[in-house]
Amino acid sequence: MKFTADRDGPLLDLLQEQHPQSSKTTLRSWVKEGRILVDQRPAKKANQEIVSGQQIELGTKKKFLPQGIEVLYDDAHITVIHKPERLLSVSTDFDQENTAHAILKDYYYPKKVFVVHRLDQDTSGVMLFALKEEACEELKKMFEAHSLKRSYTAIVEGHFKEKQGTWKSYLFEDSNYVVHSSQDPKRGKLAITHYQVDGTSKRYSLLDVTLETGKKNQIRVHCSEAGHPIVGDKKYGAETNTIRRLCLHAYALSFEHPVTKKHLTIRSLVPEKFYQLVKPGLKGCTKTKSG
């Protein structure tokens, strides 16, 4: 449920007017659980002051796996999670157990869980898995056809002359697992990244990034090549690591459900720490979760 505040006043009072059947204890619990969003960001406290015209939204109750991973959406065919930073998407030669895929396999057992795409270990945000092979095949076709919309928020070093643009190059990986960019189509696979500057601070820029293709380390390499490495990305030339993590978050995934054909947009809140570095400067750049 979403409404626009028609007057100034404490958040709790406005919630009571909209939900007269709910007790103050219940309303406070919604705020504590992060279900109340004010202008698309979580309310910090029940008595915070609201200004007329602000948007207030009640989100769905959050669902968590035993390991604390949030489930953003699931049904009989697919599941979508918020992958935390530092968690591997799938098994590697170095770690086969502490991965998002392994956690989901344990949770949904005896169902199978199929990997559809990946996020870098240090990237957080929306990640999609299939629970049936047919759904997996359909989703993989969508990824190959680039018919899904994948949106990211990134904090990068420096400022841009242009407020929006597109990066296009061919990416290839060396023997040390470092991805490089080239304008020679014979050297790698085509990668296309669109960006928009949504805010700036003294040292950083806040980017809204959309992938047209989805190659390994694509956003990180393109940002670095443009002279604006992502904060915390030492691998690709960042000089700063202010909040001690890679400042890249997959905030939304939009696609057609592989079975029901219903259009879905699954969102994950951008980490609040990102906004300690750069406050959004353009309308609509604060990202929220829905499902």
Side-chain angles (χ1 to χ4, degrees):
M1 179 179 179
K2 182 187 295 185
F3 68 95
T4 301
D6 57 6
R7 65 178 178 83
D8 298 352
L11 174 60
L12 187 60
D13 290 354
L14 297 173
L15 289 175
Q16 277 191 297
E17 293 172 4
Q18 294 291 322
H19 302 277
Q21 76 285 2
S22 301
S23 68
K24 286 186 177 181
T25 300
T26 297
L27 298 176
R28 288 193 181 96
S29 71
W30 291 350
V31 175
K32 186 176 181 180
E33 292 166 3
R35 294 180 61 191
I36 301 297
L37 306 178
V38 178
D39 288 341
Q40 301 185 320
R41 293 176 72 174
K44 295 182 178 180
K45 52 187 179 180
N47 64 349
Q48 76 179 64
E49 285 297 317
I50 300 299
V51 177
S52 178
Q54 287 190 291
Q55 297 286 324
I56 301 172
E57 181 178 358
L58 170 61
T60 56
K61 187 172 183 179
K62 295 183 178 182
K63 176 181 178 180
F64 292 92
L65 303 185
Q67 295 84 350
I69 292 178
E70 183 180 358
V71 177
L72 302 174
Y73 175 92
D74 70 344
D75 58 29
H77 308 282
I78 64 173
T79 184
V80 187
I81 66 166
H82 166 92
K83 187 193 82 67
E85 77 275 14
R86 300 189 180 93
L87 178 68
L88 287 165
S89 294
V90 297
S91 62
T92 66
D93 293 338
F94 312 104
D95 194 337
Q96 298 184 0
E97 296 182 1
N98 188 32
T99 71
H101 187 213
I103 292 169
L104 287 169
K105 285 195 295 183
D106 286 343
Y107 180 75
Y108 286 103
Y109 181 83
K111 285 185 178 181
K112 291 185 177 180
V113 179
F114 299 89
V115 177
V116 177
H117 71 126
R118 295 166 174 77
L119 292 178
D120 291 346
Q121 181 176 7
D122 293 324
T123 301
S124 56
V126 181
M127 188 173 179
L128 169 65
F129 292 85
L131 299 177
K132 291 187 177 180
E133 189 170 2
E134 297 82 359
C136 179
E137 293 304 316
E138 287 299 314
L139 288 168
K140 285 188 174 181
K141 290 177 183 177
M142 293 181 200
F143 274 95
E144 290 173 0
H146 312 307
S147 60
L148 301 89
K149 183 178 180 181
R150 286 166 283 177
S151 303
Y152 293 73
T153 291
I155 307 291
V156 302
E157 297 178 346
H159 297 152
F160 289 72
K161 292 183 179 179
E162 303 294 333
K163 292 301 181 183
Q164 59 184 19
T166 297
W167 296 310
K168 178 179 178 180
S169 68
Y170 299 87
L171 304 184
F172 62 95
E173 187 175 13
D174 66 23
S175 58
N176 294 316
Y177 307 106
V178 177
V179 178
H180 300 272
S181 178
S182 170
Q183 291 302 314
D184 184 354
K186 296 180 180 179
R187 297 199 66 187
K189 294 182 179 180
L190 179 63
I192 303 173
T193 306
H194 306 286
Y195 73 88
Q196 176 178 306
V197 180
D198 275 356
T200 59
S201 64
K202 186 175 181 180
R203 302 179 66 183
Y204 306 120
S205 294
L206 172 66
L207 300 187
D208 186 303
V209 181
T210 304
L211 291 180
E212 189 167 322
T213 61
K215 307 304 179 187
K216 180 179 179 180
N217 293 174
Q218 177 175 323
I219 297 174
R220 298 166 64 182
V221 173
H222 276 166
C223 286
S224 178
E225 185 180 39
H228 302 284
I230 297 172
V231 174
D233 196 2
K234 183 179 180 181
K235 181 177 180 179
Y236 291 106
E239 297 179 355
T240 58
N241 188 16
T242 310
I243 62 172
R244 298 185 179 182
R245 63 153 291 179
L246 178 71
C247 290
L248 181 62
H249 178 79
Y251 75 81
L253 183 64
S254 298
F255 59 100
E256 182 182 88
H257 192 287
V259 178
T260 67
K261 304 306 178 182
K262 178 182 178 181
H263 183 78
L264 297 174
T265 297
I266 314 298
R267 300 177 184 269
S268 173
L269 287 171
V270 174
E272 195 66 26
K273 285 186 176 181
F274 280 28
Y275 299 128
Q276 295 175 8
L277 302 182
V278 184
K279 287 183 168 54
L282 300 176
K283 183 179 180 182
C285 64
T286 303
K287 310 303 183 286
T288 64
K289 160 194 168 293
S290 67

